[in-house]
Amino acid sequence: MAHIPAPLLALAKLRAETCDVTFGTREHQQTPPHSHPTTNHVVVTEGTLYLTLDGVETAVRAGDWCTIPAGAEHAERFEEATSVVVFWVKQV
């Protein structure tokens, strides 16, 4: 069971002027290398996020935080059911 309550998962994204917040659960997925114009602060609430940043893969486990700087190319991999909350801090 995901540690993110169903009502929050249903919202998917909360928008604000300087920061959006997303809630999600992923399993058996992988994203290709990409970047965002925002600085992303990610907390894993369940499972493990395998984050590749600067060519190095790091396991980010439940209870851990990581930061992806704005413009940084990165990729993500989810082997098991993994829930995350992402704070997308906009450059203002």
Side-chain angles (χ1 to χ4, degrees):
M1 182 176 115
H3 289 124
I4 299 175
L8 283 179
L9 282 174
L11 284 176
K13 182 180 256 189
L14 299 174
R15 296 182 187 274
E17 186 175 330
T18 60
C19 180
D20 294 340
V21 181
T22 57
F23 312 91
T25 298
R26 307 281 186 270
E27 183 176 10
H28 306 300
Q29 290 183 340
Q30 183 172 315
T31 65
H34 63 285
S35 64
H36 306 281
T38 55
T39 295
N40 293 359
H41 300 282
V42 182
V43 61
V44 176
T45 61
E46 174 185 35
T48 304
L49 158 64
Y50 295 92
L51 174 67
T52 300
L53 183 63
D54 295 327
V56 177
E57 183 177 78
T58 303
V60 184
R61 293 180 168 74
D64 291 343
W65 286 80
C66 64
T67 298
I68 304 166
E73 186 172 271
H74 63 284
E76 303 156 348
R77 186 167 57 85
F78 306 92
E79 292 183 358
E80 61 185 311
T82 301
S83 296
V84 297
V85 178
V86 183
F87 298 83
W88 305 68
V89 180
K90 300 172 186 175
Q91 309 301 309
V92 290

